[in-house]
């Protein structure tokens, strides 16, 4: 018996050693979430001793932003199952955000109703970057831009390890509308539940995205079943909504196999990014492959063809520019035009730009557009016509020293055009080096150009961008304009007024996009917005028409709170 006791202790010690070789803290948690045992570097991670954790709810240790996700993850952990490592943020001792950790865990068959969780201090920069990604405020899922980058990293790692992964794309039609019909707290809980469910199914708990209001993407292990996920979403809907809730929401999807040994990691990532773009535009029904095994190669062939077409368009300047007016809202006087790109193949300009960013061609394209606009402005100037035009610069381009040098080389021979050429910073992908971008913006303004920040208010990065980048204008995201005449959007109106007030305080001009009705224009003017763009004032035209510009007392252009902005769509 003594020998048996020694064997048991030896086995116990081996399991404990195994746990701590991969983690800093080990917890035993009941099915109700109460911690019954804690051992390890508790103070390092939580600011408390291990003994002080016993009796507390595990969820109370987790930062509020990740709490719902973790509770959902634990609720789906079955006996004999395990949690694949996911990144989460703990609460600090003072209630602020605490340590960044990697969570693992299991539910052993002999200990039904008990979870065994491990927490490791996440020291890797990649883990920190994952937590800084922009997330959809309703679901907690990644935005589409960060999903592209994060899923690409995870896909590359999985392929290096020989693991087979898939991409599931789900359309959940009517979910947003259903959530809005529920009492506010119930609607919020439903969207959060769906987000937590999808996030929990993804690799690492951080490769699920809300691609647009009704479209979702999940990069996941091979074993995950699309129909099973859809059924779990339906159950959440039925549980949260009225009796007819299930009939109000439709779910359809497509699953793509991303494992192809004869394909490079870069090609696989490009094909995946293109699949997401295509899904965002056309929905799940656009995928009609004979089998998922065919899907990646078919997507790659399409992607390769599009990259070739893009290279040809950039090299031969085989794209057109159209120009849309931006006017003052107080007197409807034209001040600038926005230069918009159109391609010969008729494809979506936004998708083409995203593709250019994905294959590192966006700098070449931005320079080609600038050169076309410079040529136009110079020719019109020779004819005695002064026209002001704004062009887009991708955040990727701004971060490149080589790009900025090439841009200034194009602009150096035409210093007389500096007042006429406005640059707008677009956020189709997140700016990662704000210091570098801020230096680029400062240089452009010192050279005499005005600079505008696009899509203000659309993402979590808008305010950090405004803090870091010294710009002349911001263009307020069109979603706020669309919401102006929608009932029950008082919150959006309040946010819009707050953004306008902030810009006034900072002496930054404001532009509203997607203005289509007189009622919208009047409301925007009443809110204090300076400029408007949209079909109400004019559709894009192949040539900018010269119209008289109002002059200030000195005979020059009005102080440039007259923002023409360039959105590539």
């Amino acid at each position: 018996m003594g020998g048996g006791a020694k064997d048991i202790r030896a086995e116990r010690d081996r399991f404990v050693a195994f746990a701590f070789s991969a983690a800093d803290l080990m917890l035993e948690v009941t099915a109700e979430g109460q911690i019954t045992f804690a051992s390890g570097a508790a103070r390092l991670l939580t600011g408390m001793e291990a003994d002080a954790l016993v009796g507390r709810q595990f969820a109370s240790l987790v930062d509020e932003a990740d709490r719902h996700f973790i509770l959902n993850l634990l609720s789906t952990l079955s006996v004999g199952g395990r949690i694949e490592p996911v990144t989460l943020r703990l609460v600090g001792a003072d209630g602020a955000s605490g340590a960044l950790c990697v969570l693992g865990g299991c539910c052993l068959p002999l200990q039904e109703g008990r979870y065994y969780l491990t927490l490791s201090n996440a020291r890797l920069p990649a883990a920190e970057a994952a937590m800084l990604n922009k997330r959809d405020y309703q679901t907690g899922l990644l935005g589409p831009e960060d999903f592209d980058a994060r899923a690409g990293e995870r896909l590359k790692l999985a392929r290096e390890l020989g693991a087979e992964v898939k991409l599931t794309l789900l359309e959940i039609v009517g979910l947003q509308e259903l959530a809005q019909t529920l009492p506010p707290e119930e609607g919020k809980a439903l969207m959060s539940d769906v987000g937590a469910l999808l996030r929990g199914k993804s690799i690492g708990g951080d490769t699920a995205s809300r691609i647009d209001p009704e479209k979702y993407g999940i990069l996941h292990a091979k074993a995950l079943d699309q129909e099973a996920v859809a059924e779990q979403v339906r159950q959440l809907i039925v549980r949260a909504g009225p009796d007819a809730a299930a009939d109000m929401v439709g779910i359809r999807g497509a699953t793509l196999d991303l494992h192809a040994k004869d394909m490079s990691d870069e090609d696989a990532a490009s094909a995946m990014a293109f699949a997401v773009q295509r899904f965002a535009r056309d929905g799940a029904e656009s995928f009609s492959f004979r089998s998922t095994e065919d899907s990646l190669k078919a997507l790659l062939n399409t992607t390769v063809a599009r990259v070739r077409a893009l290279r040809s368009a950039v090299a031969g300047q085989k794209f057109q520019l159209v120009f849309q007016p931006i006017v003052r809202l107080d007197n409807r006087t034209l001040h600038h035009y926005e230069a918009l790109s159109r391609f010969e193949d008729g494809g979506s300009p936004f998708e083409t730009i995203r593709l250019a960013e994905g294959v590192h061609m966006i700098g070449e394209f931005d320079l080609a557009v600038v050169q076309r606009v410079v040529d136009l402005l110079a020719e019109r100037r020779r004819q005695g016509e002064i026209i002001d035009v704004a062009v887009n610069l991708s955040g990727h381009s701004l971060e490149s020293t080589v790009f900025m040098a090439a841009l200034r080389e194009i602009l150096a021979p035409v210093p007389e055009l500096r007042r006429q050429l406005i640059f707008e910073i677009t956020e189709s992908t997140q700016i990662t080096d704000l210091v570098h971008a801020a230096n680029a913006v400062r240089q452009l303004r010192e050279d005499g150009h005005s600079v505008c920040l696009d899509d203000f208010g659309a993402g979590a990065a808008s305010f950090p961008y405004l803090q870091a980048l010294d710009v002349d204008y911001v263009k307020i995201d069109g979603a706020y304009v669309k919401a102006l005449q929608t009932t029950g959007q008082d919150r959006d109106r309040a946010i819009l007024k707050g953004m306008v007030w902030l810009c006034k305080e900072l002496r930054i001009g404001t532009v509203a996009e997607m203005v289509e009705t007189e009622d919208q224009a009047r409301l925007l003017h009443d809110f204090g917005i300076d400029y408007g763009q949209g079909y109400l004032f004019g559709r894009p035209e192949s040539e900018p028409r010269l119209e008289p510009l109002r002059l200030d007392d000195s005979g020059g252009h009005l102080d440039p709170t007259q923002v023409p902005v360039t959105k590539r769509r």
Side-chain angles (χ1 to χ4, degrees):
M1 185 164 179
K6 286 183 179 180
D7 290 342
I8 292 173
R9 283 197 299 271
E11 286 298 307
R12 178 201 63 192
D13 291 344
R14 290 188 188 108
F15 279 113
V16 171
F18 176 72
F20 283 111
S21 67
D24 296 311
L25 178 64
M26 185 168 67
L27 304 172
E28 182 184 73
V29 181
T30 68
E32 292 73 34
Q34 186 180 50
I35 299 171
T36 56
F37 172 81
S39 182
R43 177 168 289 278
L44 171 68
L45 300 184
T46 68
M48 294 179 283
E49 298 296 341
D51 291 346
L53 298 180
V54 176
R56 296 176 63 97
Q57 287 290 314
F58 174 67
S60 70
L61 305 181
V62 180
D63 188 84
E64 186 177 358
D66 288 322
R67 194 170 297 161
H68 193 82
F69 161 58
I70 293 302
L71 288 173
N72 181 276
L73 191 65
L74 293 178
S75 70
T76 61
L77 183 57
S78 59
V79 175
R82 66 190 295 265
I83 298 173
E84 296 296 331
V86 297
T87 305
L88 60 86
R89 177 81 68 178
L90 298 184
V91 176
D94 57 356
S97 292
L100 183 65
C101 294
V102 175
L103 171 74
C106 64
C107 182
L108 298 179
L110 297 179
Q111 296 290 337
E112 186 173 349
R114 299 270 172 168
Y115 303 128
Y116 293 88
L117 308 179
T118 59
L119 289 167
S120 304
N121 194 14
R123 303 174 182 88
L124 298 177
E128 182 70 36
M131 300 303 290
L132 294 177
N133 288 331
K134 291 184 294 182
R135 295 189 179 276
D136 174 62
Y137 75 97
Q138 288 185 306
T139 62
L141 300 175
L142 290 179
E145 299 89 1
D146 288 318
F147 177 66
D148 279 353
R150 192 68 183 150
E153 294 169 2
R154 288 285 185 173
L155 174 60
K156 181 178 180 181
L157 178 61
R159 288 168 61 86
E160 288 176 353
L161 297 174
E164 296 186 30
V165 297
K166 294 185 176 183
L167 174 70
T168 288
L169 301 167
L170 289 176
E171 273 188 282
I172 311 179
V173 181
L175 176 63
Q176 175 82 8
E177 184 179 354
L178 171 61
Q180 291 174 345
T181 65
L182 298 173
E185 286 304 314
E186 294 179 19
K188 179 180 177 182
L190 174 59
M191 297 302 295
S192 186
D193 284 343
V194 170
L197 170 66
L198 300 183
R199 187 178 169 189
K201 302 294 184 184
S202 71
I203 295 176
D206 61 358
T207 50
S209 172
R210 191 179 189 187
I211 297 168
D212 81 359
E214 294 189 332
K215 298 185 179 76
Y216 300 80
I218 320 166
L219 185 69
H220 58 83
K222 180 181 179 181
L224 185 69
D225 179 69
Q226 171 192 318
E227 284 303 319
V229 175
E231 181 56 34
Q232 288 178 290
V233 172
R234 290 188 190 96
Q235 291 172 9
L236 289 176
I237 292 168
V238 171
R239 193 162 65 234
D243 293 338
D247 297 329
M248 296 174 61
V249 180
I251 305 175
R252 53 179 178 261
T255 296
L256 310 177
D257 193 337
L258 297 177
H259 184 72
K261 293 181 179 179
D262 57 345
M263 193 175 297
S264 71
D265 296 338
E266 290 74 17
D267 287 345
S270 295
M272 180 177 65
F274 178 65
V276 172
Q277 292 174 17
R278 179 172 165 184
F279 172 64
R281 183 191 67 193
D282 299 329
E285 292 181 351
S286 62
F287 296 94
S288 56
F289 303 108
R290 291 187 302 275
S291 68
T292 57
E293 287 73 20
D294 295 334
S295 62
L296 188 59
K297 291 183 179 179
L299 283 170
L300 179 63
N301 291 337
T302 305
T303 306
V304 168
R306 293 196 62 191
V307 170
R308 286 175 180 162
L310 176 61
R311 288 200 174 105
S312 175
V314 172
Q317 294 203 7
K318 299 176 183 177
F319 58 88
Q320 301 300 317
L321 294 180
V322 292
F323 302 85
Q324 188 172 26
I326 289 85
V327 305
R328 289 179 61 109
L329 287 178
D330 57 356
N331 59 18
R332 308 297 173 87
T333 304
L334 168 70
H335 279 291
H336 298 79
Y337 281 95
E338 169 188 8
L340 302 165
S341 305
R342 298 292 184 264
F343 294 88
E344 292 181 354
D345 63 1
S348 162
F350 180 73
E351 282 190 15
T352 302
I353 297 308
R354 290 289 302 278
L355 177 64
E357 289 171 331
V359 297
H360 307 293
M361 290 181 59
I362 189 61
E364 298 172 52
F365 181 74
D366 281 348
L367 291 173
V369 173
V370 170
Q371 185 65 68
R372 289 278 291 274
V373 172
V374 164
D375 293 343
L376 171 71
L377 295 178
E379 178 60 29
R380 289 296 187 93
R381 195 175 184 88
R382 284 192 289 271
Q383 298 173 11
E385 301 176 353
I386 304 297
I387 300 172
D388 297 347
V389 176
V391 297
N392 285 328
L393 293 184
S394 166
H396 273 319
S397 298
L398 277 184
E399 293 176 298
S400 168
T401 303
V402 173
F403 171 85
M404 290 303 298
L407 176 64
R408 298 189 74 201
E409 186 175 337
I410 290 174
L411 300 174
V414 286
E416 68 278 6
L417 299 181
R418 290 174 178 173
R419 290 286 308 273
Q420 295 174 243
L421 188 60
I422 298 169
F423 291 111
E424 181 175 349
I425 304 168
T426 62
E427 197 192 338
S428 50
T429 58
Q430 187 174 5
I431 298 174
T432 56
D433 189 343
L434 278 175
V435 173
H436 205 112
N439 290 335
V441 169
R442 184 177 64 253
Q443 186 63 68
L444 290 173
R445 297 184 76 234
E446 288 176 355
D447 288 346
H449 302 280
S450 296
V451 178
C452 176
L453 181 61
D454 188 24
D455 281 343
F456 188 70
S462 292
F463 288 96
Y465 286 1
L466 190 60
Q467 183 179 31
L469 308 178
D470 190 7
V471 299
D472 300 282
Y473 315 104
V474 298
K475 190 172 193 181
I476 295 171
D477 185 70
Y480 292 97
V481 178
K482 288 185 175 181
L484 280 178
Q485 293 176 289
T486 305
T487 58
Q489 298 299 322
D490 292 342
R491 184 182 180 88
D492 287 331
R493 291 192 182 197
I495 294 172
L496 178 58
K497 289 179 180 179
M499 289 191 293
V500 174
W501 174 85
L502 175 62
C503 291
K504 294 289 185 188
E505 288 291 303
L506 296 175
R507 300 182 182 277
I508 294 174
T510 47
V511 186
E513 63 179 352
M514 300 185 186
V515 184
E516 298 183 354
T517 69
E518 283 289 349
D519 286 343
Q520 288 174 330
R522 281 193 295 270
L523 280 171
L524 293 167
H525 178 255
D526 290 345
F527 288 171
I529 294 177
D530 303 302
Y531 303 93
Q533 175 187 12
Y535 287 170
L536 176 65
F537 310 119
R539 293 175 178 267
E541 299 178 348
S542 58
E543 290 286 336
R545 293 179 293 108
L546 181 65
E547 295 188 12
L549 302 180
R550 287 176 57 87
L551 303 180
D552 60 21
D553 294 337
S554 66
H557 291 298
L558 279 169
D559 189 9
T561 318
Q562 45 205 38
V563 181
V565 190
T566 14
K567 200 179 282 262
R568 294 168 173 134
R569 17 174 199 172

